[in-house]
Amino acid sequence: MTGEPLFHLLRPEHLPSPADVAGYLRTRGGVLPAAIGHRDDARALDAVRAAVAAVPMAAGTVVDGPDGAESAGNRDNDQAFGIVRVDGDRPALFVHTVLKGYEALLADTSAGGTDLTGEQWRTLRQALGVMLEQPPQDRLARQWRPLPRRTDQPPAAALRRWVRGHRLFMVLIQGLVQASGDLAGRLRAGDREPVAALDRAILLMRASEVALRFAGDFSIADYDAVVRPTLMPPHSPPGMSGLHWRDHEHLIKNLAATRDLLTGVDPALAGMRAAFRRAYAEVYDAHRFVCARFVGEESASLLMAKSKQSAVAVLDRYKQARLHNVPE
């Protein structure tokens, strides 16, 4: 789709647990510079790139071939966004992928700025820090401010933002798959007060919502000129939809498995459970926002061309069905 290098992801069923990632990082003490959390984006980008160099693609990494669990829809999405599934040292690969997503966010914003608010920007950076087991101090995070979106960018920058934004979204969805699996495990073990696990899941859900808005952070004219053509044959197959990404489907299964378990959490955590549900709804609202902005309220999305409903109507229907997996 662009001249971007291929982006490597584990399969969602191969993701390491947060504990495994934390254990790997302990064995690599100091591999993540503290400057990753620097308030200056340029300094933070330099630190992230140093970390990428220190955690390269692990030796013995292999490209996963076709497998029975992969749908044609997932294969189409991976191909459209230059994503390659790999396997090997899973904690190392997970950290490498998160760092590459962080690098893409900082590099693209350094070049073109963003219309994201300060709060949205902080949500993204906090979530990536948590995935790297490096949660920022609140005092530091409050100093993060994104550069305003530049209006002098060439149209090609919109396609770059579209691709990098979707890759960042996939990194965060993998974090959610990881977090929701960890939450389910704690609930099954009888933990009725999984505060830290719920807090992590809420943050990652909110960050996923912001990443979708970031992916569409450019003008409608640039969408029509350079992004829309890449979503049509022969560049992309008809009917392709991000809702068919295997990582999203795996997340849905995890949430469905936790529905009854979440119902039984300590009543004191009802507010957190409600916050998680709201954050989940906001992910679909962000997807709806991007569709409505670029194709209108009544039009069918190119990625949902086979549907007789408008793109936003399809997303509204998905939203109501998926929210059933998270009790109020």
Side-chain angles (χ1 to χ4, degrees), residues 6 20 32 38 81 84 114 124 134 152 165 170 188 205 207 214-215 228 298 314 318 323 328:
L6 294 175
D20 288 340
L32 300 183
H38 202 281
F81 289 93
V84 175
T114 177
L124 279 178
Q134 195 182 58
D152 60 348
M170 290 302 294
R188 289 193 191 96
M205 193 69 83
F214 179 75
R228 182 182 174 90
E298 303 300 327
V314 170
Y318 268 99
L323 284 178
E328 297 182 9

Side-chain angles (χ1 to χ4, degrees), residues 175-185 197 201 250-251 254-255 258 276:
L176 265 173
V177 170
Q178 184 194 59
S180 59
D182 182 56
L183 175 61
H250 200 89
L251 173 62
N254 278 5
L255 293 176
T258 62
F276 181 59

Side-chain angles (χ1 to χ4, degrees), residues 130-151:
V130 165
M131 290 178 70
L132 294 168
E133 305 300 325
Q134 195 182 58
Q137 297 177 355
D138 289 342
R139 177 185 58 80
L140 176 62
R142 284 194 294 269
Q143 300 177 47
W144 290 339
R145 296 286 188 278
L147 294 171
R149 183 161 69 90
R150 294 173 55 178
T151 58

Side-chain angles (χ1 to χ4, degrees), residues 158-229:
L159 183 57
R160 184 185 65 206
R161 173 66 56 92
W162 180 257
V163 172
R164 289 181 174 180
H166 277 82
R167 290 174 171 185
L168 175 64
F169 176 71
M170 290 302 294
V171 169
L172 292 162
I173 288 296
Q174 290 211 334
L176 265 173
V177 170
Q178 184 194 59
S180 59
D182 182 56
L183 175 61
R186 292 177 184 276
L187 291 169
R188 289 193 191 96
D191 184 354
R192 297 185 67 244
E193 300 182 34
V195 176
L198 257 177
D199 195 47
R200 183 185 185 108
I202 290 168
L203 174 62
L204 287 164
M205 193 69 83
R206 287 174 174 161
S208 300
E209 179 258 334
V210 177
L212 282 176
R213 294 180 184 274
F214 179 75
D217 191 14
F218 47 83
S219 72
I220 296 173
D222 284 348
Y223 173 82
D224 288 338
V226 298
V227 175
R228 182 182 174 90

Side-chain angles (χ1 to χ4, degrees), residues 239 299-301 303-311 313-315 317-318:
S299 302
S301 165
L303 304 186
M304 300 174 182
K306 294 181 180 179
S307 174
K308 295 181 180 179
Q309 292 182 295
S310 70
V314 170
L315 288 170
R317 180 165 53 83
Y318 268 99

